[in-house]
Amino acid sequence: MQSTANGVAPAAQQPDATDPDRVPDDLAVARKVLGLEADGLEALAQSLDGRFSQALDILADVSGRVVVTGMGKSGHIGRKIAATFASTGTPSQYVHPGEASHGDLGMITEADAVVALSNSGETSELSDLLQHCRRFSIPLIAITSRANSTLDTFATVGMILPPVPEADTMGLAPTTSTTMSLALGDALAVALLNRKGFTASDFQILHPGGKLGRQLLRIRDIMHQGEEVPLVPETATMTDVVVEMTRKRFGCVGVLDSHGALVGVVTDGDLSRHMSESVLGEPVTALMTRNPVSTRPEALAMEVLGDMNAKKIGAVFVLEELKPVGILHLHDVLRAGIV
């Protein structure tokens, strides 16, 4: 070992990431990998046939859960596919084939369907699970690269990946095949949610946390209601408006006609622009803005935020059949973490 006079070995020299002779080779390898995997996805898309629809029929008819299984890299892909099914309205779980042989077969019932992944179709750990499906007539969808393999033979529907090379330099590591398996799982999940009429509202229910859930919040989820809403009748004076505006602290007051419909709004900006000794005695109809901006309880908070920013307003009334049922302030949207 090389050492200095004080006995401390020098730090190992790190390769220069900007070496002009090295970087092009790295990029060439990366582009080749991505190109091969892209070719694999194109081949997969072209290979889809009636078996895809048959698999979808099975998944759509499941009254229990979609159980996804696979060993090794296929297992990692299977976990993601199960998570995608679950998050798009199809109850699903991953079952490890090894654990299935030691009691977890009890998780798979006659009300379920199984999606099994194995590139070779000969994964020995799947054996007990395949026998369990056959014994109890549980529908089995296979995703494999080998037609007539054990997995394909046991399957109710066998989905065969096209014969394309793996993307590693030796052509051995699961790369293109796992990419195709993952994409095929995505295709099944998206086609299934389309069949079921799964909506953005359904998606929000299953994703209440995180940015996706916040972006799909409805106005009804965050609006102020009942006595919190600042309202006066159109027979009120500006004195009544000031009292209500001070009490509710939204910076505005809605004006109602005799039927309870919103016909106007007065903001603190209106008060500032018209402030005089006589303004408090004026009828509210003299200063209010007619046909104010409003929204619906079912509107997406994210979209309403965009409208508020574009129109430079700090609060908006929420209407049902022209009558106010709530009010939303810009700060409510920001507190909900929409942006």
Side-chain angles (χ1 to χ4, degrees), residues 1 25 28 72 101 103 105 113-114 117 133 144 159 176 180 183 193 198 234 239 259 262 300 302 315 319 321 329:
M1 177 184 295
D25 290 340
S101 298
L105 283 175
V114 172
L117 290 81
C133 289
T144 178
M159 305 190 70
T176 307
M180 289 191 295
L193 75 86
F198 192 77
E234 60 184 345
T239 298
H259 301 290
L262 186 73
L300 288 173
M302 181 175 63
L319 307 184
E321 297 181 354
H329 195 277

Side-chain angles (χ1 to χ4, degrees), residues 120-193:
S120 68
E122 302 295 343
T123 302
S124 59
E125 290 86 353
L126 286 172
S127 177
D128 291 334
L129 194 151
L130 299 185
Q131 294 290 351
H132 180 77
C133 289
R134 177 162 290 183
R135 184 179 303 118
F136 293 99
S137 299
I138 298 169
L140 173 64
I141 298 167
I143 297 178
T144 178
S145 293
R146 287 185 55 194
N148 301 316
S149 61
T150 299
L151 176 57
D152 184 41
T153 301
F154 270 80
T156 310
V157 176
M159 305 190 70
I160 309 302
L161 302 176
V164 294
E166 300 288 8
D168 71 299
T169 53
M170 298 177 293
L172 299 174
T175 47
T176 307
S177 60
T178 50
T179 297
M180 289 191 295
S181 296
L182 180 60
L184 185 54
D186 287 342
L188 286 168
V190 173
L192 188 58
L193 75 86

